[in-house]
Amino acid sequence: MNRFTKSFADADAAFSGQYFKELELLKGLSEDEISKISPNTTTMSVYEKLIEIVENASRKNMAQAELVSKIKGLGDTAIKISKKIPGLASLF
């Protein structure tokens, strides 16, 4: 097993898991769209953390309540970004 095997397996699991559609849409947001959500200088950092959370949730088939809790833990900017994705918006 090479050093990339686990990374590829994790990516496959994330994109075949419960939140794969939301993850694709989330990753499809442009930097301009994200900047319009919040002019805060940390917005891109929050966006990247949000992607990690949704990837992890998809890979582990995390319960919606746990996903919502983790997104809320990132703050208002993460919630605003999430609301741009129909499958995540319905959670708030």
Side-chain angles (χ1 to χ4, degrees):
M1 181 185 320
N2 69 38
R3 62 188 174 124
F4 298 110
T5 303
K6 182 173 177 5
S7 294
F8 292 141
D10 287 348
D12 286 345
F15 278 99
S16 62
Q18 180 177 358
Y19 302 105
F20 78 96
K21 183 177 180 182
E22 290 81 2
L23 184 56
E24 286 182 330
L25 292 171
L26 189 59
K27 286 187 170 189
L29 291 176
S30 70
E31 191 170 339
D32 188 48
E33 289 173 297
I34 296 163
S35 296
K36 287 180 183 176
I37 293 168
S38 175
N40 191 327
T41 57
T42 62
T43 301
M44 287 307 291
S45 175
V46 171
Y47 170 69
E48 290 168 3
K49 289 177 186 173
L50 179 61
I51 287 174
E52 288 177 25
I53 286 173
V54 176
E55 280 179 341
N56 190 38
S58 187
R59 185 172 36 255
K60 294 181 177 179
N61 288 317
M62 186 182 292
Q64 286 183 350
E66 187 176 353
L67 176 59
V68 169
S69 176
K70 289 184 180 289
I71 292 172
K72 285 181 177 179
L74 289 177
D76 290 335
T77 300
I79 293 170
K80 288 176 185 177
I81 295 170
S82 296
K83 287 182 177 181
K84 294 289 185 184
I85 308 302
L88 297 177
S90 66
L91 301 176
F92 294 95

PDB file of all heavy atoms in Angstrom, residues 34-46:
ATOM      1  N   ILE A  34     -18.215  33.433  -2.443  1.00  0.00           N
ATOM      2  CA  ILE A  34     -17.910  33.315  -1.017  1.00  0.00           C
ATOM      3  C   ILE A  34     -17.618  34.686  -0.417  1.00  0.00           C
ATOM      4  O   ILE A  34     -18.097  35.008   0.668  1.00  0.00           O
ATOM      5  CB  ILE A  34     -16.725  32.350  -0.805  1.00  0.00           C
ATOM      6  CG1 ILE A  34     -17.135  30.956  -1.270  1.00  0.00           C
ATOM      7  CG2 ILE A  34     -16.284  32.330   0.646  1.00  0.00           C
ATOM      8  CD1 ILE A  34     -15.975  30.021  -1.493  1.00  0.00           C
ATOM      9  N   SER A  35     -16.892  35.515  -1.135  1.00  0.00           N
ATOM     10  CA  SER A  35     -16.571  36.864  -0.656  1.00  0.00           C
ATOM     11  C   SER A  35     -17.819  37.718  -0.494  1.00  0.00           C
ATOM     12  O   SER A  35     -17.881  38.570   0.395  1.00  0.00           O
ATOM     13  CB  SER A  35     -15.603  37.552  -1.612  1.00  0.00           C
ATOM     14  OG  SER A  35     -14.381  36.869  -1.633  1.00  0.00           O
ATOM     15  N   LYS A  36     -18.815  37.506  -1.346  1.00  0.00           N
ATOM     16  CA  LYS A  36     -20.066  38.268  -1.248  1.00  0.00           C
ATOM     17  C   LYS A  36     -20.867  37.881  -0.006  1.00  0.00           C
ATOM     18  O   LYS A  36     -21.645  38.677   0.487  1.00  0.00           O
ATOM     19  CB  LYS A  36     -20.917  38.052  -2.500  1.00  0.00           C
ATOM     20  CG  LYS A  36     -20.374  38.772  -3.710  1.00  0.00           C
ATOM     21  CD  LYS A  36     -21.240  38.528  -4.910  1.00  0.00           C
ATOM     22  CE  LYS A  36     -20.654  39.200  -6.141  1.00  0.00           C
ATOM     23  NZ  LYS A  36     -21.440  38.903  -7.352  1.00  0.00           N
ATOM     24  N   ILE A  37     -20.673  36.671   0.476  1.00  0.00           N
ATOM     25  CA  ILE A  37     -21.388  36.205   1.660  1.00  0.00           C
ATOM     26  C   ILE A  37     -20.942  36.984   2.883  1.00  0.00           C
ATOM     27  O   ILE A  37     -21.738  37.385   3.712  1.00  0.00           O
ATOM     28  CB  ILE A  37     -21.177  34.693   1.862  1.00  0.00           C
ATOM     29  CG1 ILE A  37     -21.862  33.928   0.723  1.00  0.00           C
ATOM     30  CG2 ILE A  37     -21.690  34.230   3.221  1.00  0.00           C
ATOM     31  CD1 ILE A  37     -21.485  32.473   0.638  1.00  0.00           C
ATOM     32  N   SER A  38     -19.641  37.211   2.962  1.00  0.00           N
ATOM     33  CA  SER A  38     -19.073  37.942   4.092  1.00  0.00           C
ATOM     34  C   SER A  38     -17.756  38.567   3.653  1.00  0.00           C
ATOM     35  O   SER A  38     -16.879  37.858   3.164  1.00  0.00           O
ATOM     36  CB  SER A  38     -18.843  36.993   5.269  1.00  0.00           C
ATOM     37  OG  SER A  38     -18.197  37.673   6.317  1.00  0.00           O
ATOM     38  N   PRO A  39     -17.612  39.876   3.829  1.00  0.00           N
ATOM     39  CA  PRO A  39     -16.366  40.536   3.437  1.00  0.00           C
ATOM     40  C   PRO A  39     -15.224  40.288   4.427  1.00  0.00           C
ATOM     41  O   PRO A  39     -14.127  40.774   4.249  1.00  0.00           O
ATOM     42  CB  PRO A  39     -16.750  42.013   3.405  1.00  0.00           C
ATOM     43  CG  PRO A  39     -17.875  42.124   4.374  1.00  0.00           C
ATOM     44  CD  PRO A  39     -18.615  40.812   4.297  1.00  0.00           C
ATOM     45  N   ASN A  40     -15.480  39.505   5.449  1.00  0.00           N
ATOM     46  CA  ASN A  40     -14.499  39.202   6.480  1.00  0.00           C
ATOM     47  C   ASN A  40     -13.260  38.540   5.876  1.00  0.00           C
ATOM     48  O   ASN A  40     -13.358  37.713   4.979  1.00  0.00           O
ATOM     49  CB  ASN A  40     -15.163  38.262   7.500  1.00  0.00           C
ATOM     50  CG  ASN A  40     -14.358  38.065   8.745  1.00  0.00           C
ATOM     51  OD1 ASN A  40     -13.139  38.067   8.715  1.00  0.00           O
ATOM     52  ND2 ASN A  40     -15.052  37.892   9.851  1.00  0.00           N
ATOM     53  N   THR A  41     -12.100  38.890   6.375  1.00  0.00           N
ATOM     54  CA  THR A  41     -10.857  38.341   5.838  1.00  0.00           C
ATOM     55  C   THR A  41     -10.673  36.860   6.162  1.00  0.00           C
ATOM     56  O   THR A  41      -9.857  36.192   5.542  1.00  0.00           O
ATOM     57  CB  THR A  41      -9.630  39.113   6.372  1.00  0.00           C
ATOM     58  OG1 THR A  41      -9.643  39.065   7.796  1.00  0.00           O
ATOM     59  CG2 THR A  41      -9.654  40.554   5.904  1.00  0.00           C
ATOM     60  N   THR A  42     -11.440  36.333   7.101  1.00  0.00           N
ATOM     61  CA  THR A  42     -11.316  34.922   7.460  1.00  0.00           C
ATOM     62  C   THR A  42     -12.330  34.038   6.725  1.00  0.00           C
ATOM     63  O   THR A  42     -12.378  32.836   6.963  1.00  0.00           O
ATOM     64  CB  THR A  42     -11.489  34.719   8.979  1.00  0.00           C
ATOM     65  OG1 THR A  42     -12.803  35.146   9.358  1.00  0.00           O
ATOM     66  CG2 THR A  42     -10.439  35.480   9.758  1.00  0.00           C
ATOM     67  N   THR A  43     -13.112  34.616   5.847  1.00  0.00           N
ATOM     68  CA  THR A  43     -14.172  33.872   5.168  1.00  0.00           C
ATOM     69  C   THR A  43     -13.647  32.658   4.413  1.00  0.00           C
ATOM     70  O   THR A  43     -14.233  31.580   4.493  1.00  0.00           O
ATOM     71  CB  THR A  43     -14.964  34.804   4.214  1.00  0.00           C
ATOM     72  OG1 THR A  43     -15.515  35.871   4.987  1.00  0.00           O
ATOM     73  CG2 THR A  43     -16.088  34.067   3.526  1.00  0.00           C
ATOM     74  N   MET A  44     -12.551  32.799   3.688  1.00  0.00           N
ATOM     75  CA  MET A  44     -12.010  31.664   2.925  1.00  0.00           C
ATOM     76  C   MET A  44     -11.525  30.562   3.866  1.00  0.00           C
ATOM     77  O   MET A  44     -11.684  29.378   3.566  1.00  0.00           O
ATOM     78  CB  MET A  44     -10.887  32.109   1.990  1.00  0.00           C
ATOM     79  CG  MET A  44     -11.372  32.888   0.776  1.00  0.00           C
ATOM     80  SD  MET A  44     -12.664  32.067  -0.195  1.00  0.00           S
ATOM     81  CE  MET A  44     -11.743  30.711  -0.899  1.00  0.00           C
ATOM     82  N   SER A  45     -10.985  30.936   4.990  1.00  0.00           N
ATOM     83  CA  SER A  45     -10.546  29.946   5.973  1.00  0.00           C
ATOM     84  C   SER A  45     -11.737  29.165   6.521  1.00  0.00           C
ATOM     85  O   SER A  45     -11.691  27.945   6.659  1.00  0.00           O
ATOM     86  CB  SER A  45      -9.800  30.642   7.111  1.00  0.00           C
ATOM     87  OG  SER A  45      -9.474  29.736   8.123  1.00  0.00           O
ATOM     88  N   VAL A  46     -12.811  29.877   6.814  1.00  0.00           N
ATOM     89  CA  VAL A  46     -14.038  29.232   7.294  1.00  0.00           C
ATOM     90  C   VAL A  46     -14.594  28.315   6.213  1.00  0.00           C
ATOM     91  O   VAL A  46     -15.012  27.188   6.501  1.00  0.00           O
ATOM     92  CB  VAL A  46     -15.086  30.288   7.719  1.00  0.00           C
ATOM     93  CG1 VAL A  46     -16.431  29.650   8.000  1.00  0.00           C
ATOM     94  CG2 VAL A  46     -14.594  31.070   8.925  1.00  0.00           C
TER      95      VAL A  46
END
